[in-house]
Amino acid sequence: MTQKSKTGNVINIKTGLAEMLKGGVIMDVVTADQAKVAEDAGAVAVMALERVPSDIRKAGGVARMSPPELVQQIMESVSIPVMAKCRIGHFAEAQILEAIGVDYIDESEVLTPADEDFHINKHDFKVPFVCGAKNLGEALRRIGEGAALMRTKGEPGTGNIVEAVRHLREINMEIKKLTVTDDAELMTAAKNLAAPFELVKMVKEQGRLPVPNFAAGGIATPADAALCMQLGAETVFVGSGIFKSENPAKFAQAIVKATTHFDNPKIVLEASKGLGTAMPGIEIGAIETTMRMANRGW
Amino acid sequence: MAKPVIGVLALQGAVEPHRKHIEAAGGEFRAVKTPGQFEDVDAFILPGGESTTMLKLIETFDLWDSLKKQFAEKPVWGICAGSILIAENVTSPAQKSFGLLPVTVQRNAYGRQLQSSHAVINGYDISLIRAPVIAKVANDVTVKAEHEGKPVWVEKGRYMATTFHPELTLDYPSPMHREFVNLVQNYKKKAA
């Protein structure tokens, strides 16, 4: 956001860090050693968590915020920013993460929601939040609650890019539609999107989300990263894709290379060679609707 | 005279926010990430981002020598992470750098994101994001602005550094972009 801020100072500092993370790869890590591997490979930030999404999916049960010691160890081991996840609506977990001093909180559908009706009021926090969205209305609701960064939900832990692509395209299409919507129709558009009018107006005027938009959920190869970047994602989150692959250090670097040069197929080609096997994937149709993480939150 | 072409190193970070500032200051914006692209610009901005990541990418894509050569010939402005990359000395932790400006830069000196803040610098409302501190400057470095007693905008010859982000909060063009584009124009004139 480049306007001089009158009331938006706090948001500007929050989105400011997201601006610094653009054009990069944010990697899920479960140990300090993995965080070092990620940093050495060129990650712009790491997401500290107890289990990667594919393991959460396998284990079932309730997935919660990571133990604080784990997050702290990871923060001590790298100089790049560290993010951590809290459950949807679990503002007490978010308070703990803020007290630890993480750089970003992901109010994430990967964990089991703590509140089925309400997300966290993110304006209450000084630490910035990233949230997932499947469509424009959802993205603007989260931004209205104070999210400083959006990402697609995709379908985490599947190694299947189809849902992230669906969400990126959906949001792009809805933004385009708004840019040609008549002013007289804007309130109805806001009503249909179930999104704050002022934000809907801002999207119409600027032709983009009011905060950066990253891709997440199912990115498993350099080509997946290049695809998301070409579809307009400004950075990619890679969850299980790196440390569930045959050679994590190589995969991590390859995905970074492909993200930097997403618009250069020759470099993406080189990055895709000699990597060994990617993480095992899951067909989305094989996951029952009630088990899909993207359907958590609203 | 042709508009000076300002290349913003686009390996990672806040690249696009510079476009309108550069254009409003009378320059041409170009995002650059390969040696061929480096040759075609008149000056460089090393943007805000993660300095560790940028160094890794410079290594990964084998860009060090080509950038070093370019920086020896052209004006360079390092912002936040970029100021770390062009400093002579980097601390906490020590890190490789191009050493263009005789200053010592301490990384993440204010702390983590929770210590990121707004500040008013020379009357302008700007943000410091996980910013470094310029702890020491050589005698021949001009300090153009300070915050809490430490330099945040410094210049020597055709090299400039800011630890804050004029590209994020200021109207187009920011005074720092205007200053840099002028510097590039003067340098081009002298060289011609």
Side-chain angles (χ1 to χ4, degrees):
Chain A
M1 294 173 115
T2 45
Q3 75 277 16
K4 224 179 223 169
S5 59
K6 290 180 188 76
T7 55
N9 274 355
V10 179
I11 279 287
N12 256 324
I13 294 226
K14 290 175 171 179
T15 54
L17 180 57
E19 293 285 342
M20 300 309 133
L21 302 178
K22 279 185 179 176
V25 182
I26 300 167
M27 303 182 189
D28 277 6
V29 297
V30 300
T31 63
D33 287 342
Q34 287 190 354
K36 288 300 290 176
V37 170
E39 186 176 57
D40 284 343
V44 286
V46 291
M47 176 75 71
L49 68 177
E50 198 178 14
R51 281 173 290 179
V52 293
S54 66
D55 286 338
I56 291 174
R57 194 175 277 289
K58 262 188 229 149
V62 174
R64 312 180 180 93
M65 179 190 83
S66 304
E69 301 87 333
L70 176 75
V71 178
Q72 280 168 324
Q73 277 166 16
I74 289 170
M75 285 165 66
E76 281 157 21
S77 68
V78 292
S79 72
I80 52 177
V82 175
M83 303 184 172
K85 290 183 195 289
C86 72
R87 285 178 264 178
I88 290 174
H90 206 316
F91 53 84
E93 281 187 350
Q95 287 163 351
I96 294 172
L97 292 174
E98 182 170 65
I100 293 174
V102 298
D103 296 294
Y104 243 97
I105 295 176
D106 185 1
E107 185 184 18
S108 177
E109 66 283 4
V110 166
L111 306 182
T112 312
D115 193 322
E116 293 187 335
D117 296 315
F118 304 107
H119 285 251
I120 295 171
N121 177 14
K122 293 163 275 287
H123 292 294
D124 281 348
F125 290 78
K126 198 176 173 216
V127 64
F129 278 75
V130 52
C131 287
K134 301 187 292 294
N135 52 50
L136 182 61
E138 193 174 13
L140 296 180
R141 288 192 290 279
R142 296 294 85 77
I143 297 166
E145 293 160 355
L149 167 63
M150 292 308 304
R151 55 170 175 76
T152 59
K153 284 181 162 175
E155 189 54 37
T158 60
N160 190 336
I161 196 66
V162 67
E163 293 302 307
V165 168
R166 191 191 317 281
H167 302 160
L168 276 171
R169 284 202 185 271
E170 177 69 22
I171 290 174
N172 286 346
M173 185 197 73
E174 289 174 302
I175 290 175
K176 263 186 220 152
K177 212 165 128 190
L178 268 190
T179 60
V180 292
T181 298
D182 193 90
D183 278 342
E185 299 164 9
L186 217 52
M187 186 58 82
T188 303
K191 178 186 145 203
N192 293 339
L193 287 165
F197 176 77
E198 287 305 321
L199 293 179
V200 171
K201 204 171 146 224
M202 208 187 269
V203 172
K204 173 189 154 77
E205 284 159 7
Q206 300 182 353
R208 58 177 177 81
L209 283 184
V211 304
N213 190 26
F214 295 179
I219 295 160
T221 65
D224 288 347
L227 175 66
C228 290
M229 294 296 284
Q230 287 182 63
L231 286 172
E234 294 170 296
T235 272
V236 296
F237 283 88
V238 186
S240 321
I242 289 167
F243 291 99
K244 288 290 162 189
S245 70
E246 194 180 332
N247 190 335
K250 259 191 172 173
F251 250 86
Q253 201 187 36
I255 291 179
V256 168
K257 280 186 185 171
T259 304
T260 309
H261 287 283
F262 67 88
D263 50 359
N264 186 333
K266 279 186 186 152
I267 296 179
V268 180
L269 161 67
E270 283 312 310
S272 306
K273 284 181 180 168
L275 293 180
T277 318
M279 70 174 282
I282 306 174
E283 165 62 36
I284 299 297
I287 309 169
E288 275 185 61
T289 319
T290 52
M291 298 303 287
R292 292 187 196 167
M293 292 172 175
N295 292 338
R296 295 166 165 178
W298 55 278
Chain B
M1 196 162 88
K3 280 183 186 175
V5 181
I6 313 292
V8 182
L9 187 64
L11 296 174
Q12 181 275 315
V15 176
E16 204 50 39
H18 288 286
R19 181 188 294 273
K20 286 187 177 166
H21 286 288
I22 290 171
E23 286 169 0
E28 187 187 324
F29 165 93
R30 209 172 288 171
V32 293
K33 46 189 177 186
T34 61
Q37 294 167 339
F38 300 159
E39 301 207 349
D40 293 337
V41 299
D42 297 310
F44 290 88
I45 290 179
L46 306 192
E50 289 304 318
S51 70
T52 312
T53 307
M54 287 182 195
L55 267 184
K56 293 283 171 200
L57 291 170
I58 287 169
E59 212 173 279
T60 300
F61 295 110
D62 202 12
L63 301 174
W64 184 270
D65 291 344
S66 126
L67 285 173
K68 181 109 194 156
K69 184 167 166 277
Q70 291 293 321
F71 294 166
E73 297 163 358
K74 296 172 183 175
V76 183
W77 173 15
I79 300 171
C80 194
S83 75
I84 300 171
L85 293 183
I86 66 171
E88 211 166 80
N89 296 303
V90 180
T91 63
S92 72
Q95 190 170 274
K96 195 175 172 186
S97 61
F98 287 99
L100 309 179
L101 267 175
V103 299
T104 299
V105 172
Q106 187 190 348
R107 296 180 57 202
N108 296 336
Y110 298 97
R112 309 187 69 98
Q113 173 64 9
L114 282 172
Q115 281 71 48
S116 290
S117 65
H118 269 87
V120 177
I121 305 241
N122 295 5
Y124 293 95
D125 178 23
I126 54 79
S127 49
L128 290 152
I129 297 174
R130 283 174 50 100
V133 158
I134 300 175
K136 265 187 249 163
V137 299
N139 290 335
D140 53 355
V141 172
T142 309
V143 175
K144 300 192 62 93
E146 285 188 347
H147 173 61
E148 295 175 349
K150 296 284 183 197
V152 289
W153 179 10
V154 297
E155 217 180 274
K156 184 196 168 188
R158 61 179 191 278
Y159 302 127
M160 182 169 123
T162 57
T163 57
F164 57 90
H165 295 277
E167 77 280 11
L168 294 184
T169 53
L170 300 182
D171 294 333
Y172 311 121
S174 84
M176 297 83 202
H177 285 86
R178 201 191 292 275
E179 166 91 9
F180 187 64
V181 172
N182 282 344
L183 185 157
V184 176
Q185 261 158 346
N186 290 338
Y187 184 72
K188 266 185 91 173
K189 259 185 233 158
K190 258 191 233 162

